């Protein structure tokens, strides 16, 4: 029930926010070389589009992209908002779903980012990073509460 | 449980085997290359997240289908598209049996099969063995 990393990717495929919640070594090379996250997040954006194209037996209008990538050590969870902003969470491989956390993060995004009159969403076609300390703090607290809830659930079992 | 299609690629990226079952949509031009690029990219991303450098991709879940993946040490890659509720652990086990039994018996021992670029799987026993394996696991009826 551990979440290591959050990416927020805008509708153009640009990484506009990233937050780490555990030590860098938990996410391998992406922890050792944080700049790599810019590249890998845009690559993930491209593969999301590919996963829609590969949908068998579906009306193309109904196609939806991948919601979970299961790896041996990690799960990558993806949540797309109706405005095509994507929230990506990298967790340990035992975390099956993060839907409640995603909804909470989406609410925080609306509350702290979209309602902020000084946040520039898009400048000359280039998405702007989210540099709002209150948002970053709120995200950390939400994930800390999520981790704490996971621990208490594990203790209860 | 529903099976849609299976792709097998060799280490050179050639699509050496394709088979489909409950599929009603047409196969798109270039689809095998798209699958190859898709699984290669996610495998690469998974290895970059890995603390050991060796932990790879297992499956990709979407609201409409699930793609299961495995890779051998010799570079053979398999992508199996199923409905969304097929267990990842079940299919990983099936892949092990597929490579250890069906693949080994019908291809490794086939004098006409070569581990080289462009060599397709043409032995009909492989397809038959594969379907028999899927039927024994209740993926096909």
């Amino acid at each position: 029930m551990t979440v290591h990393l959050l990416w927020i990717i805008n509708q153009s495929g640009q990484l506009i926010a990233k937050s780490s919640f555990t030590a860098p070594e938990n996410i391998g090379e992406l922890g050792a070389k944080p700049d790599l996250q810019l590249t890998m997040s845009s690559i993930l954006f491209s593969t999301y589009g590919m996963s829609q194209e590969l949908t068998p037996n579906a009306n193309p209008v109904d196609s939806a992209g991948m919601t979970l990538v299961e790896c041996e050590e990690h799960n990558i969870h993806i949540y797309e908002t109706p405005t095509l902003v994507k929230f990506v969470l990298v967790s340990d491989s035992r975390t099956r779903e993060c839907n409640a956390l995603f909804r909470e993060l989406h609410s925080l995004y609306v509350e702290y980012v979209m309602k902020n009159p000084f946040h520039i969403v898009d400048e000359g076609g280039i998405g702007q990073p989210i540099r709002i300390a209150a948002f970053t703090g709120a995200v950390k607290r939400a994930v800390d509460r999520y981790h704490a809830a996971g621990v208490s659930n594990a203790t209860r079992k | 449980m529903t099976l849609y299609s299976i792709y097998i690629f060799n280490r050179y990226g050639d699509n050496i085997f394709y088979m489909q079952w409950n599929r009603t949509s047409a196969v798109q031009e270039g689809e095998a290359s798209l699958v190859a690029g898709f699984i290669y990219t996610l495998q690469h991303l998974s290895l970059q997240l890995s603390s050991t450098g060796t932990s790879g991709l297992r499956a990709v879940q979407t609201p409409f289908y699930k793609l299961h993946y495995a890779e051998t040490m010799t570079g053979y890659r398999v992508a199996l598209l199923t409905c969304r509720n097929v267990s990842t652990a079940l299919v990983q086990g099936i892949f092990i049996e597929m490579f250890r039994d069906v693949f080994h018996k019908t291809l490794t021992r086939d004098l006409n099969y070569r581990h080289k670029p462009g060599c397709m799987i043409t032995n009909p026993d492989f397809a038959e063995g594969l379907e028999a394996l899927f039927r024994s696991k209740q993926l096909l009826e």
Side-chain angles (χ1 to χ4, degrees):
Chain A
M1 300 293 292
T2 306
V3 171
H4 301 301
L5 180 68
L6 164 70
W7 286 339
I8 303 181
I9 302 173
N10 74 1
Q11 70 280 6
S12 305
Q14 290 154 331
L15 184 65
I16 59 174
K18 63 182 169 80
S19 289
S20 293
F21 308 109
T22 60
E25 51 265 26
N26 288 311
I27 51 171
E29 253 185 275
L30 293 195
K33 304 170 186 167
D35 286 352
L36 206 53
Q37 295 185 30
L38 283 170
T39 307
M40 296 315 297
S41 59
S42 69
I43 287 172
L44 185 68
F45 176 83
S46 299
T47 55
Y48 186 90
M50 284 175 169
S51 70
Q52 290 171 306
E53 284 188 58
L54 293 173
T55 307
N57 295 3
N59 185 332
V61 178
D62 292 332
S63 286
M66 59 205 190
T67 55
L68 174 65
V69 179
E70 296 179 52
C71 309
E72 201 173 324
E73 263 183 67
H74 302 90
N75 282 348
I76 303 171
H77 307 258
I78 301 160
Y79 170 91
E80 186 182 53
T81 71
T83 53
L84 305 186
V85 175
K86 291 167 187 58
F87 291 72
V88 178
L89 287 168
V90 178
S91 74
D92 62 347
S93 59
R94 289 167 298 139
T95 305
R96 304 306 306 166
E97 55 91 25
C98 294
N99 296 330
L101 180 57
F102 273 135
R103 280 191 290 271
E104 188 174 3
L105 294 174
H106 188 188
S107 295
L108 296 178
Y109 174 82
V110 172
E111 197 65 27
Y112 286 93
V113 180
M114 297 311 292
K115 291 186 179 180
N116 186 322
F118 300 104
H119 173 67
I120 301 168
V121 171
D122 187 284
E123 187 169 299
I126 300 171
Q128 295 301 299
I130 298 170
R131 295 195 182 96
I132 299 165
F135 175 67
T136 306
V139 165
K140 297 274 185 185
R141 287 192 296 276
V143 172
D144 285 345
R145 281 197 302 274
Y146 175 81
H147 286 153
V151 170
S152 74
N153 282 340
T155 305
R156 193 175 305 135
K157 282 170 188 164
Chain B
M1 296 190 280
T2 308
L3 280 188
Y4 294 121
S5 52
I6 186 168
Y7 301 79
I8 301 180
F9 304 93
N10 62 14
R11 72 187 301 131
Y12 312 101
D14 303 319
N15 178 212
I16 62 178
F17 184 79
Y18 173 78
M19 199 170 188
Q20 68 184 43
W21 295 275
N22 302 286
R23 183 171 179 170
T24 53
S25 62
V27 178
Q28 300 173 66
E29 188 180 347
E31 185 176 282
S33 298
L34 191 64
V35 172
F38 182 67
I39 58 178
Y40 177 83
T41 303
L42 288 177
Q43 169 79 341
H44 182 62
L45 174 57
S46 172
L47 295 176
Q48 284 187 303
L49 283 166
S50 165
S51 51
T52 62
T54 59
S55 306
L57 175 69
R58 288 280 177 271
V60 181
Q61 178 84 57
T62 84
F64 294 108
Y65 71 96
K66 188 170 182 178
L67 183 149
H68 301 260
Y69 172 83
E71 180 180 3
T72 69
M73 191 181 289
T74 46
Y76 285 100
R77 297 173 174 182
V78 57
L80 179 72
L81 276 75
T82 68
C83 63
R84 50 176 293 122
N85 48 287
V86 179
S87 152
T88 302
L90 171 69
V91 176
Q92 291 295 313
I94 290 172
F95 283 155
I96 291 172
E97 284 192 51
M98 180 188 93
F99 281 117
R100 188 182 59 203
D101 295 329
V102 182
F103 194 98
H104 180 61
K105 284 171 180 161
T106 65
L107 294 177
T108 307
R109 295 178 175 180
D110 182 355
L111 294 180
N112 295 311
Y113 183 72
R114 291 284 183 273
H115 186 71
K116 65 179 187 182
C119 187
M120 311 289 287
I121 294 175
T122 54
N123 188 341
D125 291 340
F126 177 76
E128 286 168 25
L130 191 62
E131 286 201 315
L133 173 61
F134 288 156
R135 277 193 293 270
S136 75
K137 302 296 180 179
Q138 276 87 56
L139 289 189
L140 284 176
E141 60 278 323

